Amino acid sequence: LHEGVRNPGIGTRAIDGGCAGRDQALLIVGEAPGYREDIQGKSWVGKSGSLLHRWFLNVPFGDHADVYLTNACRCRPSNNETPTRTQSNACRPYLLSDLGVLHEQYKGRVTVLCMGASASYTIARSMLTQGFHAQGLPKFLLDDIAVPVFYTYHPAALSRKRDPTKIRAVCLHLKLLYEVLSGTRKIETRIAKPIRAPMPPDNFPDVFALDIET
């Protein structure tokens, strides 16, 4: 992609207004630069970036953490298409490097917010699906660095042409993350083991019926 863009490899940056020297950091990972980002050589300055900054007026993460912005893919895909997994994988080492720098600078107090499927795949290597969203993972081992990871929809998913009804879900997700960063909510770090249910009996009838609730 870098051969067809104006500003290749747009890196991680502090949120507009800079950082206040907090003792923890929040790294927000989006999908990829768009047209405006490629023109300015700066991430999160287009429509999605404007919406993201408006959200921060209602959920002031900067009161408790230094906020940094980045993308899973560092170059603008052609026609603003969703970056492929190959493209995200190619940029992943740069993201991990930036995360490592923040992890060292903030002495391990770094939280990651993935916005959208591309960011979620790059961080967790699992594609965001309709049935798996905004699951706040207490700890995620990322190349030997344990960091809390949260997921939600990308701001572009809330446009009128797509599904603006997701705004309520995103607001709840950001509220949860804010409570964790502010220390008013604790997340469970113990991994629960699933309980295996007993197998059905061998003498099951050949034909049986169940109501839909069952």
Side-chain angles (χ1 to χ4, degrees):
L1 293 179
H2 70 278
E3 296 178 352
V5 298
R6 177 174 297 187
N7 284 288
I10 298 176
T12 300
R13 70 177 181 92
I15 195 171
D16 293 346
C19 297
R22 307 294 181 184
D23 60 354
Q24 62 177 327
L26 172 64
L27 178 62
I28 297 178
V29 185
E31 180 177 277
Y35 172 77
R36 292 186 180 276
E37 285 81 2
D38 186 38
I39 294 296
Q40 298 184 30
K42 186 178 180 182
S43 61
W44 291 94
V45 293
K47 291 183 178 179
S48 295
S50 297
L51 181 57
L52 181 68
H53 283 79
R54 287 203 298 271
W55 288 348
F56 287 170
L57 296 178
N58 297 320
V59 188
F61 292 116
D63 290 349
H64 302 283
D66 289 342
V67 181
Y68 295 86
L69 307 175
T70 192
N71 282 298
C73 183
R74 300 284 172 121
C75 296
R76 179 198 176 198
S78 302
N79 300 318
N80 287 345
E81 296 176 348
T82 300
T84 65
R85 291 194 174 188
T86 299
Q87 292 165 348
S88 296
N89 284 335
C91 293
R92 191 170 188 263
Y94 301 105
L95 177 59
L96 295 183
S97 177
D98 292 346
L99 181 57
V101 171
L102 293 176
H103 193 270
E104 181 178 357
Q105 179 178 345
Y106 290 89
K107 297 179 172 59
R109 298 196 64 190
V110 181
T111 300
V112 175
L113 173 61
C114 298
M115 306 198 81
S118 297
S120 301
Y121 168 74
T122 302
I123 290 292
R125 288 186 177 274
S126 60
M127 180 58 71
L128 192 69
T129 64
Q130 188 67 20
F132 178 72
H133 60 83
Q135 299 296 323
L137 297 184
K139 290 287 184 181
F140 188 83
L141 191 62
L142 190 63
D143 286 11
D144 298 328
I145 298 178
V147 296
V149 180
F150 291 82
Y151 303 88
T152 192
Y153 296 103
H154 192 278
L158 279 62
S159 66
R160 294 181 179 180
K161 295 181 180 180
R162 298 177 68 176
D163 190 358
T165 62
K166 288 185 172 70
I167 183 61
R168 172 172 170 77
V170 173
C171 289
L172 292 175
H173 304 161
L174 298 182
K175 180 176 180 292
L176 170 64
L177 176 57
Y178 178 82
E179 292 174 351
V180 172
L181 291 175
S182 64
T184 58
R185 181 188 290 253
K186 300 295 183 181
I187 52 178
E188 180 59 62
T189 57
R190 178 178 55 86
I191 299 177
K193 294 183 178 180
I195 300 175
R196 183 181 295 274
M199 296 297 293
D202 295 333
N203 57 346
F204 237 63
D206 293 335
V207 179
F208 63 94
L210 295 175
D211 63 287
I212 191 168
E213 287 79 9
T214 303

